Amino acid sequence: MLEQYQAQTKCLVALDSIIFGFDGEELKLLLVKRGVEEHGDTWSLMGGWLRPHEDTEDASARILYELTGLSNIYLEQLHVFSAPFRDPVERTVSIAYFALINVADYTDVISHTFEAQWFSIHELPTLLFDHGRMVEMAIERLRYKATQHPIGFELLPDKFTIPQLQKLYEAIFGTQFDKRNFSRKILSTKLLIKLDEKQKGYSKKGAYLYKVDNDEYRKVFDAFLNFVPSGFMV
């Protein structure tokens, strides 16, 4: 029995991360330049290999930290990509995760070694293997989750205004929302705490800053809130 087991063909397991960020204007994707000559100007998602004594959740978090210096961020398994010839070099199964971060929190620890760069999701370069399909699926998942859950807060700084929050959701969905309806719905969730501070430098009057009520956020994170109803859209 052991001999039969050992005789089985083995394959590699990769972890690929679709890292979304928001810079205040656009939804972006963090990519690295593929360091293999034959791939030319091809870019790649950030990824690495599963180690013998890791589960996939730990491996994904480790790889993300090694490549970006970021930890304790939103990370969710997306899909298993297992087409036999997806990697022409060697049989490889990839488990894809997507991560959400605020671009301002991103450190440049990888920029020199891995030539990492943010790209608008509307202007992506040529991607390696099936990474383009991974990104498409991750955008679909993000939009679905953002519709039903308050997941978008993961892409914002600790303090933000309602207009900034609206701009984020418009970037995620690629459309405009009715300002009054958006503000009323968001505030009705009771997820935000209004601060005695205003955003500076944008207007004389300024907009009040808010932060997420973390206790309420944890309570309702997995609940279906109908967070972005169709009535938002202009």
Side-chain angles (χ1 to χ4, degrees):
M1 190 71 175
L2 179 60
E3 291 180 355
Q4 291 179 340
Y5 177 78
Q6 292 176 332
Q8 295 297 312
T9 301
K10 310 297 192 298
C11 69
L12 296 171
V13 177
L15 287 302
D16 287 302
S17 296
I18 302 104
I19 305 173
F20 291 116
F22 180 63
D23 65 356
E25 295 293 332
E26 289 188 295
L27 186 64
K28 295 195 170 184
L29 183 68
L30 189 61
L31 300 172
V32 291
K33 190 68 176 292
R34 183 68 177 182
V36 181
E37 288 185 13
E38 60 265 30
H39 291 293
D41 291 328
T42 300
W43 291 73
S44 169
L45 296 171
M46 291 193 169
W49 303 105
L50 180 69
R51 292 174 178 172
H53 304 294
E54 286 182 314
D55 65 28
T56 58
E57 301 289 331
D58 290 340
S60 182
R62 170 186 59 80
I63 292 166
L64 193 62
Y65 178 76
E66 290 175 351
L67 294 176
T68 68
L70 294 173
S71 60
N72 298 318
I73 64 173
Y74 184 89
L75 193 63
E76 178 181 326
Q77 187 177 131
L78 176 68
H79 190 70
V80 176
F81 293 83
S82 58
F85 302 105
R86 57 170 302 276
D87 184 337
V89 178
E90 190 166 355
R91 177 76 168 101
T92 304
V93 171
S94 176
I95 304 173
Y97 285 76
F98 74 93
L100 305 177
I101 66 175
N102 174 31
V103 170
D105 294 334
Y106 167 69
T107 60
D108 64 355
V109 292
I110 64 165
S111 59
H112 301 299
T113 304
F114 295 96
E115 204 173 330
Q117 187 172 324
W118 288 104
F119 289 87
S120 166
I121 62 168
H122 303 295
E123 297 178 353
L124 295 177
T126 301
L127 296 177
L128 186 72
F129 303 154
D130 53 358
H131 289 192
R133 176 62 186 137
M134 293 181 185
V135 172
E136 290 175 1
M137 189 176 292
I139 292 173
E140 291 173 3
R141 176 74 64 84
L142 175 59
R143 286 173 175 165
Y144 166 74
K145 296 278 286 195
T147 301
Q148 302 295 339
H149 308 284
I151 194 174
F153 293 128
E154 304 289 343
L155 290 157
L156 289 169
D158 292 335
K159 300 176 183 180
F160 52 86
T161 65
I162 298 298
Q164 285 177 317
L165 181 60
Q166 179 172 337
K167 188 174 283 290
L168 165 64
Y169 275 86
E170 288 176 340
I172 291 174
F173 290 97
T175 190
Q176 288 186 309
F177 295 135
D178 178 80
K179 181 178 179 181
R180 188 172 299 176
N181 285 341
F182 184 89
S183 178
R184 182 168 55 246
K185 172 62 178 179
I186 293 299
L187 294 177
S188 72
T189 66
K190 308 299 183 184
L191 288 171
L192 301 184
I193 298 173
K194 188 176 182 180
L195 305 175
D196 292 327
E197 303 176 48
K198 287 188 175 183
Q199 186 184 40
K200 298 178 181 178
Y202 288 86
S203 68
K204 290 182 179 180
K205 187 176 180 181
Y208 276 102
L209 292 166
Y210 290 80
K211 69 176 182 180
V212 176
D213 185 327
N214 289 320
D215 290 336
E216 289 298 317
Y217 181 67
R218 284 189 289 269
K219 287 179 185 177
V220 304
F221 185 82
D222 291 321
F224 287 88
L225 298 178
N226 193 22
F227 205 69
V228 183
S230 59
F232 277 15
M233 299 182 185
V234 175

